[in-house]
Amino acid sequence: MTFKLLPSAAARGKRCLQHFNHFESRITFHRSLWSSSFIGQKDLSSNIGNKKLNSEIQVEDQNSHQTGNPSTILPFSHFLVDSFSRHHTYLRISLTERCNLRCKYCMPEEGVELTEKEKLLSNAEVLKLAQLFVAEGVDKIRLTGGEPMVRKDLLQIIESLNELKSEGLKTIGMTTNGITLKRKAKALKQAGLDHINISLDTLEPEKFQFVTRRNGWQNVMDGIHAAIDSGLAKIKLNCVVMRGLNEDEIVGFVKLAQTLPIDVRFIEYMPFDGNKWSQMKMFSYMEMLELIRKEFPNLYRLSNDSTDTSKSFTAPGFAGKIGFITSMSEHFCGGCNRLRITADGNLKVCLFGNAEVSLRDALRSNLPDDELLDIIGKAVKRKKKQHAGMTNLTNMKNRPMILIGG
């Protein structure tokens, strides 16, 4: 069955009028434009009317940027704008703390204490929060874990999220270890999934078993090809590079991007509770790039959006591209547009920050949306300019990655 989303147009209209009052202190808007464009958009009942109005608003917005006229710029929810004017349009929701692998950089060797089921977000609570964030301007949602595909109701959750595409959501993504992807890829695409990130840190089956403490390398490889065949719009392969473990496989991973229409992204090893991180194990972006260019001297940099986490490259004749997530050596906090909700309902405004606020408790206290948004807004406003440096991060208390949501 599909989980039902609550009607929210009237509530969104009311909240957005409240947002407008906040924005008056920053930007002057023409009242007539606000009344005719925004309120009119919410009252239109036909898809044709919505498409026509959206098109007109986009043209007006483009013109306002070209002319420098601030009067035609529509506001973004002030609840999702931090004190450094970063607009948070990307929400990552962890659906579970459970996983069918035990990757060394994600989970401590002794395992983790799982949250009791009744303290995890229910499906209705996940969808309520998703709907609330989309109403405020989030246009991208990624489902994470744990491993989201251990959820038997995953397809139903995606189908319900897919309904939010009529409310402003543009893309639904998911991060997975790919173990069961081969038999589920087509159904995920049909349910409404657009993008998928697949974690794979080695091209050697024996090393895969060492890193993940489980078998399944061939399953992941089969899953990658199934994802390609399914027609998903974007497929990314995430590889955490650790010195002394898999830096010798970097060129092999690049060759995957040479022959397959995927983005291979190399991630600098990051410190989380229990993963025994050390700076000696970290293989930096510049070291990776130097190694790759010995084999592919024609590699060149691609342009990136200001909110991209990855520095993208390709080479002539490549079917895909490669990228580098440089959280440790060159942070990209200035363009951060991401928020996270953990499986137990805590909002994290920074992956490396240990400050959290419980949206689960707020929901279960039956707070009205305005008060819930106020809690969210205050948390976002407390977001720091950038995360701590490598030395400080190793000494900061934070969750293991599996309890945050990859």
Side-chain angles (χ1 to χ4, degrees):
M1 73 178 191
T2 300
F3 302 103
K4 294 296 183 183
L5 296 169
L6 297 174
S8 61
R12 287 200 312 278
K14 179 181 177 182
R15 287 198 302 274
C16 287
L17 284 172
Q18 293 171 339
H19 301 171
F20 174 71
N21 292 330
H22 285 274
F23 270 80
E24 278 187 320
S25 62
R26 301 197 302 121
I27 297 176
T28 302
F29 294 93
H30 287 314
R31 300 285 180 178
S32 59
L33 175 66
W34 175 259
S35 176
S36 62
S37 293
F38 188 72
I39 302 300
Q41 183 186 8
K42 294 300 178 185
D43 290 340
L44 286 174
S45 59
S46 71
N47 289 333
I48 295 175
N50 277 329
K51 290 179 180 177
K52 182 175 184 291
L53 183 58
N54 286 338
S55 176
E56 291 171 354
I57 290 172
Q58 289 171 3
V59 171
E60 289 169 347
D61 188 58
Q62 291 169 359
N63 290 339
S64 71
H65 285 290
Q66 292 170 358
T67 62
N69 180 6
S71 64
T72 55
I73 302 174
L74 295 178
F76 183 85
S77 170
H78 74 98
F79 293 109
L80 301 184
V81 181
D82 67 16
S83 58
F84 302 97
S85 299
R86 292 174 295 202
H87 290 197
H88 294 80
T89 59
Y90 181 6
L91 179 65
R92 302 171 72 102
I93 303 175
S94 177
L95 295 181
T96 180
E97 297 173 347
R98 298 182 180 278
C99 186
N100 44 11
L101 297 181
R102 297 291 184 269
C103 299
K104 293 177 181 291
Y105 55 82
C106 185
M107 183 184 291
E109 186 174 357
E110 64 276 11
V112 295
E113 184 176 348
L114 298 175
T115 304
E116 298 141 14
K117 185 176 180 180
E118 60 271 16
K119 293 183 179 179
L120 299 174
L121 288 179
S122 68
N123 293 334
E125 289 168 337
V126 167
L127 295 170
K128 164 69 176 177
L129 289 173
Q131 187 176 29
L132 188 66
F133 275 90
V134 169
E136 301 306 311
V138 162
D139 59 19
K140 180 178 180 180
I141 289 177
R142 178 170 296 281
L143 303 175
T144 69
E147 171 49 52
M149 285 202 288
V150 303
R151 288 284 298 259
K152 294 179 180 179
D153 54 359
L154 175 62
L155 292 178
Q156 288 76 26
I157 292 172
I158 293 173
E159 286 171 354
S160 295
L161 290 175
N162 198 45
E163 294 181 22
L164 292 176
K165 288 180 180 175
S166 64
E167 306 290 334
L169 184 64
K170 295 178 181 177
T171 58
I172 303 171
M174 184 177 74
T175 298
T176 176
N177 59 33
I179 290 290
T180 62
L181 183 57
K182 179 182 177 180
R183 66 176 185 266
K184 296 179 180 179
K186 187 174 181 179
L188 289 166
K189 172 68 166 60
Q190 291 173 342
L193 191 71
D194 302 295
H195 300 167
I196 195 162
N197 289 9
I198 304 166
S199 300
L200 181 67
D201 306 309
T202 178
L203 299 175
E204 301 175 11
E206 296 80 11
K207 193 183 292 185
F208 178 92
Q209 185 175 1
F210 173 77
V211 172
T212 67
R213 306 185 181 104
R214 296 290 188 275
N215 291 316
W217 179 86
Q218 189 59 55
N219 290 348
V220 180
M221 297 303 295
D222 292 343
I224 293 168
H225 290 281
I228 295 170
D229 293 341
S230 73
L232 285 164
K234 189 174 290 186
I235 301 165
K236 297 177 181 177
L237 190 63
N238 290 341
C239 174
V240 177
V241 180
M242 293 164 278
R243 191 185 304 276
L245 179 69
N246 61 350
E247 80 273 23
D248 59 329
E249 297 188 65
I250 289 175
V251 170
F253 273 100
V254 174
K255 290 179 179 177
L256 288 181
Q258 186 179 23
T259 57
L260 298 176
I262 61 175
D263 297 355
V264 175
R265 305 194 304 175
F266 299 105
I267 303 174
E268 291 180 339
Y269 186 31
M270 297 177 280
F272 294 99
D273 274 16
N275 73 352
K276 299 181 180 179
W277 184 92
S278 75
Q279 192 166 346
M280 292 296 293
K281 294 180 182 177
M282 198 199 79
F283 201 75
S284 73
Y285 150 59
M286 292 305 296
E287 290 177 288
M288 298 183 215
L289 191 58
E290 182 180 3
L291 190 155
I292 293 167
R293 279 191 160 140
K294 290 178 181 178
E295 183 79 17
F296 299 97
N298 294 329
L299 196 72
Y300 60 90
R301 178 81 181 264
L302 297 170
S303 61
N304 288 104
D305 292 335
S306 60
T307 57
D308 285 346
T309 59
S310 177
K311 297 174 173 63
S312 298
F313 292 76
T314 192
F318 270 45
K321 58 185 179 181
I322 66 170
F324 303 89
I325 297 179
T326 62
S327 302
M328 295 293 95
S329 63
E330 294 183 20
H331 73 76
F332 35 83
C333 302
C336 183
N337 67 337
R338 293 167 297 285
L339 300 171
R340 284 176 163 81
I341 298 177
T342 61
D344 59 350
N346 280 6
L347 176 67
K348 284 180 72 76
V349 297
C350 176
L351 173 62
F352 297 106
N354 50 22
E356 301 179 0
V357 59
S358 178
L359 301 184
R360 177 202 64 203
D361 292 350
L363 282 172
R364 294 180 184 179
S365 298
N366 294 316
L367 293 183
D369 286 359
D370 288 346
E371 292 185 35
L372 192 56
L373 284 169
D374 190 52
I375 292 171
I376 293 168
K378 287 178 179 177
V380 171
K381 292 293 187 293
R382 290 194 294 268
K383 185 169 181 173
K384 296 181 179 179
K385 184 177 181 180
Q386 63 190 59
H387 64 68
M390 281 189 285
T391 302
N392 290 333
L393 281 177
T394 58
N395 298 319
M396 286 177 60
K397 186 69 178 174
N398 197 1
R399 298 183 183 220
M401 190 62 183
I402 193 168
L403 299 184
I404 296 174

